[in-house]
Amino acid sequence: MFGLSAHRLQQSFAELGDLTGRTADEIISSVGAPISRSMMGPGQTLLQWQSEGYHIGVLFDQGQFAGITSEDSGLLPRGRALAQGFAALGNLAGRSKVEIVAAVGPYSSFSVAGPHQVLLQWQSDVYHIALLFEDDICVGITHEFAI
């Protein structure tokens, strides 16, 4: 396990609220030191925090918050109910992120996939689905499996 417990690390980020306008130093002083630092381009640094069951990658440009590149909160409970919730929605392409989250609950992971694109994933012990969104509209399922 790295750093804080998963719950404490995730709670520390939640308590910060909107990270817009914050500096890397401000965030580090609130949540603790990251486990890694990577140079991403001129003036850009990716800081990552990880604990057992939680990970977040935060991009900084010239020391200022530029975006969250990925966040993973581990496995969700209710795997079979999660699968049934997605099945009840039918075709997901064209549905909004808000509509899908309202029907099945919060996602466990997201990653920036490209300009205006985000990959959201719902993972449980028996079900996993990943959806690609463009401008908050579902483009489709990138992968799905059930045990």
Side-chain angles (χ1 to χ4, degrees):
M1 180 156 85
F2 307 103
L4 299 173
S5 73
H7 177 72
R8 283 192 52 214
L9 181 59
Q10 190 171 12
Q11 186 63 35
S12 294
F13 273 98
E15 288 171 1
L16 282 173
D18 185 359
L19 300 178
T20 303
R22 295 193 183 257
T23 66
D25 290 339
E26 285 178 277
I27 294 171
I28 291 169
S29 71
S30 293
V31 302
I35 62 159
S36 76
R37 294 174 184 256
S38 305
M39 297 306 295
M40 300 302 288
Q44 292 188 323
T45 305
L46 177 66
L47 302 183
Q48 296 186 71
W49 288 263
Q50 182 173 341
S51 61
E52 189 174 311
Y54 182 72
H55 166 265
I56 188 168
V58 182
L59 183 66
F60 294 88
D61 192 354
Q62 306 298 331
Q64 292 286 128
F65 172 78
I68 296 173
T69 60
S70 63
E71 184 176 28
D72 186 342
S73 57
L75 297 178
L76 296 170
R78 318 176 293 105
R80 301 241 182 267
L82 185 62
Q84 291 166 348
F86 276 102
L89 283 172
N91 186 5
L92 299 172
R95 292 184 182 265
S96 72
K97 179 170 50 171
V98 170
E99 180 183 5
I100 293 170
V101 169
V104 299
Y107 44 87
S108 57
S109 170
F110 84 86
S111 304
V112 174
H116 309 284
Q117 291 186 325
V118 175
L119 182 72
L120 300 182
Q121 299 184 67
W122 288 259
Q123 298 170 264
S124 74
D125 56 342
V126 296
Y127 181 69
H128 178 196
I129 187 169
L131 305 179
L132 182 63
F133 288 82
E134 190 166 294
D135 294 323
D136 291 335
I137 300 299
C138 182
V139 176
I141 299 170
T142 62
H143 62 274
E144 177 181 34
F145 70 87
I147 299 173

